[in-house]
Amino acid sequence: MLPLIIANWKANKTAEEAMIWMDGFARTRQRDNATYVIAPPTALLGAVRERALQLGLMLGAQDVSSYPAGAYTGEVPARSLASMGVQYVIVGHSERRRYFHEDSVLVAEKIRRVLEANMYPVVCVDVPEFRPQADQLNPDERARCIVAYEPVHAISTFGGQEDPLAVTLENVQQLREAFGNVPVLYGGSVKPDNALAYIQSAELQGVLVGGSSLDAATFTAL
Ligand code: PGA
């Protein structure tokens, strides 16, 4: 598996800024040996889709409804995301857990919706969530997850202290005891000067990037 590098733009960018980013990505792209995913705000998926696919970028979403398609005003169901070409869906991000009070039960429902629509759930967990989150899933569901180990203190907007690689690897071992032998990403203050250590580690299959994904040239320098 090529390393997976996911750009989580969070609630940033207009359609115009997104297109400027695409041009910047096309100009500065350095590596071919990675799978790049961009997760723009959901409202921008339509605007970026064609250009992203042209550039060989995969599409991601930052969240999904825990409900199926139907009469749930304002929700974005997995089916709609899949129809836009989305393949990866971030679920249970620490900002969702903190600001929107999402718990492991709700996040497990979202994971099910993503799997039903044949997309990859990218399940974000910090150490306290490893067990509770894994316990909400059956073995088949667990085996189909990509799990992002995201220590809350490392997220740039919460504390910005990235985990040293050795600590990350210890925790990733614990994570695999809970989830099984799934692909694991690291996220939290990944920057051009530390990204390579995570990307090249045999225990990790990639990185989830917030702040450093907003500028195309910074992102392609990872
Ligand atoms: P950061 O965010 O790279 O800005 O720390 C990572 C994340 O929130 O997924």
Side-chain angles (χ1 to χ4, degrees), residues 47-221:
V48 303
R49 177 185 175 182
E50 202 181 315
R51 183 88 169 110
L53 297 180
Q54 255 175 19
L55 292 172
L57 288 159
M58 307 282 161
L59 288 177
Q62 301 173 16
D63 188 28
V64 65
S65 179
S66 61
Y67 288 85
Y72 305 103
T73 300
E75 288 291 88
V76 179
R79 195 164 170 263
S80 302
L81 294 174
S83 75
M84 292 301 291
V86 168
Q87 290 182 283
Y88 297 85
V89 183
I90 298 168
V91 283
H93 190 278
S94 57
E95 288 151 14
R96 302 292 317 168
R97 293 180 193 263
R98 180 179 290 197
Y99 301 133
F100 303 96
H101 314 295
E102 294 195 2
D103 61 14
S104 297
V105 174
L106 180 74
V107 171
E109 276 304 303
K110 294 186 172 195
I111 292 168
R112 286 184 196 106
R113 298 294 88 75
V114 173
L115 291 172
E116 284 161 9
N118 291 315
M119 298 180 290
Y120 296 106
V122 178
V123 185
C124 300
V125 282
D126 191 358
V127 177
E129 285 113 31
F130 289 176
R131 257 312 147 191
Q133 191 61 72
D135 285 349
Q136 289 301 322
L137 302 168
N138 70 36
D140 175 60
E141 290 163 347
R142 275 200 294 271
R144 295 167 68 196
C145 289
I146 295 171
V147 183
Y149 164 53
E150 292 219 308
V152 170
H153 59 257
I155 306 281
S156 62
T157 43
F158 289 157
Q161 199 50 57
E162 78 264 23
D163 255 13
L165 187 61
V167 175
T168 296
L169 296 184
E170 262 171 47
N171 289 335
V172 165
Q173 201 176 339
Q174 268 189 50
L175 188 159
R176 286 211 169 92
E177 280 162 25
F179 278 87
N181 194 20
V182 291
V184 177
L185 313 180
Y186 170 79
S189 294
V190 173
K191 303 179 279 251
D193 64 1
N194 66 12
L196 212 54
Y198 297 109
I199 292 170
Q200 288 183 338
S201 161
E203 299 305 314
L204 292 168
Q205 282 65 54
V207 288
L208 178 54
V209 188
S212 293
S213 74
L214 291 173
D215 173 67
T218 309
F219 185 61
T220 54

Side-chain angles (χ1 to χ4, degrees), residues 12-24:
N12 290 294
K13 294 198 192 294
T14 62
E16 194 188 351
E17 288 162 358
M19 295 319 280
I20 293 170
W21 188 96
M22 293 288 161
D23 292 342

